[in-house]
């Protein structure tokens, strides 16, 4: 039996700013599994997340990242995202001038285009968005605001969970999900 929906990281080495951060990481995650990676500050947890997602500024110097049977090691981050890899950042960035609704609709439609599916029109997207905001208890006024601009730590994290719910990735990497959250936001 061949399982192709898994993530397999083999002997991964990577550096950031000429400093080697990952030194031979091996990891295998099968469908339906949840893994928590723990360690002291500076041990490479965030680096591993960023490297798997393909974030710029991280250089893979050895090893491979195989996802769903394909080598993702040299694949652009937007292709990795279209293939189902989602990264929620430890500190989500602000995107002034881009409304959450616009960002989410464009991101979802980019994934649809990549897979040769019809894009969602405005009404179809609004239906999906309202369904997910209601499910997650996210106020709709948050969607009219620019992405993460002026958001509290809890709002930023809820916004990323909304992104994840709408984009429906097959692999979600959550980098320090509790960073900047109060206890009520953690429960949500």
């Amino acid at each position: 039996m061949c399982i192709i929906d898994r993530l397999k990281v083999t002997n991964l080495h990577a550096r950031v700013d000429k400093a080697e951060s990952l030194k031979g990481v091996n990891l295998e995650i099968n469908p339906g599994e949840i893994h928590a990676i723990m360690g002291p500050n500076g041990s490479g947890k965030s680096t591993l997340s960023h490297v798997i997602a393909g974030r710029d500024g991280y250089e893979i110097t050895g090893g491979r990242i195989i996802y769903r049977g394909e080598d993702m090691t040299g694949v652009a981050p937007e292709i990795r995202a279209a293939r189902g890899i989602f990264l929620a950042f430890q500190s989500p960035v602000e995107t002034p001038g881009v409304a959450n609704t616009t960002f989410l609709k464009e991101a979802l439609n980019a994934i649809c285009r990549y897979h040769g599916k019809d894009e969602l029109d405005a009404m179809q997207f609004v239906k999906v968005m309202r369904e997910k905001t209601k499910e997650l208890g996210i106020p709709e006024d948050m969607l009219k605001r620019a992405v993460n601009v002026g958001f509290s730590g809890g709002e930023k994290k809820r916004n990323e969970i909304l992104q994840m719910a709408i984009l429906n990735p097959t692999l979600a990497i959550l980098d320090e999900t509790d960073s900047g959250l109060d206890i009520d936001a953690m429960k949500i």
Side-chain angles (χ1 to χ4, degrees):
M1 178 176 167
C2 179
I3 299 173
I4 61 167
D5 283 325
R6 70 177 176 193
L7 170 70
K8 187 171 185 178
V9 175
T10 308
N11 196 30
L12 189 63
H13 293 257
R15 66 176 162 225
V16 183
D17 298 327
K18 298 182 183 179
E20 189 173 19
S21 299
L22 300 179
K23 301 174 184 178
V25 174
N26 293 295
L27 174 68
E28 191 168 325
I29 300 175
N30 292 305
E33 292 181 347
I34 297 173
H35 290 240
I37 298 174
M38 301 178 73
N41 288 342
S43 62
K45 301 176 304 291
S46 292
T47 298
L48 177 61
S49 300
H50 294 303
V51 169
I52 291 170
R55 187 169 179 193
D56 288 337
Y58 294 80
E59 180 187 355
I60 295 174
T61 57
R64 291 178 38 171
I65 301 167
I66 306 295
Y67 183 62
R68 302 182 84 181
E70 296 181 59
D71 190 344
M72 295 283 134
T73 309
V75 174
E78 61 274 13
I79 302 301
R80 294 179 198 205
R83 290 182 183 168
I85 298 175
F86 177 86
L87 173 61
F89 294 99
Q90 182 177 353
S91 300
V93 296
E94 295 183 356
T95 311
V98 180
N100 256 327
T101 304
T102 303
F103 172 76
L104 290 169
K105 182 175 180 273
E106 290 303 315
L108 183 57
N109 280 334
I111 292 170
C112 290
R113 282 190 303 275
Y114 178 83
H115 291 286
K117 296 180 180 178
D118 291 337
E119 294 183 33
L120 276 67
D121 64 28
M123 295 305 290
Q124 292 168 316
F125 179 74
V126 166
K127 182 180 177 190
V128 169
M129 184 182 63
R130 284 195 174 134
E131 200 176 276
K132 297 300 181 184
T133 54
K134 183 179 178 185
E135 188 179 307
L136 296 169
I138 294 173
E140 284 193 37
D141 67 320
M142 212 167 114
L143 299 168
K144 297 173 185 165
R145 295 164 62 188
V147 178
N148 296 321
V149 175
F151 283 23
S152 68
E155 287 175 322
K156 286 180 179 181
K157 294 300 180 173
R158 282 192 295 275
N159 195 41
E160 284 193 313
I161 297 303
L162 175 62
Q163 292 170 14
M164 187 172 62
I166 288 177
L167 299 177
N168 195 27
T170 51
L171 173 66
I173 302 168
L174 310 177
D175 189 4
E176 289 197 33
T177 54
D178 62 341
S179 181
L181 293 184
D182 58 31
I183 193 70
D184 293 330
M186 254 326 265
K187 288 177 185 175
I188 292 170

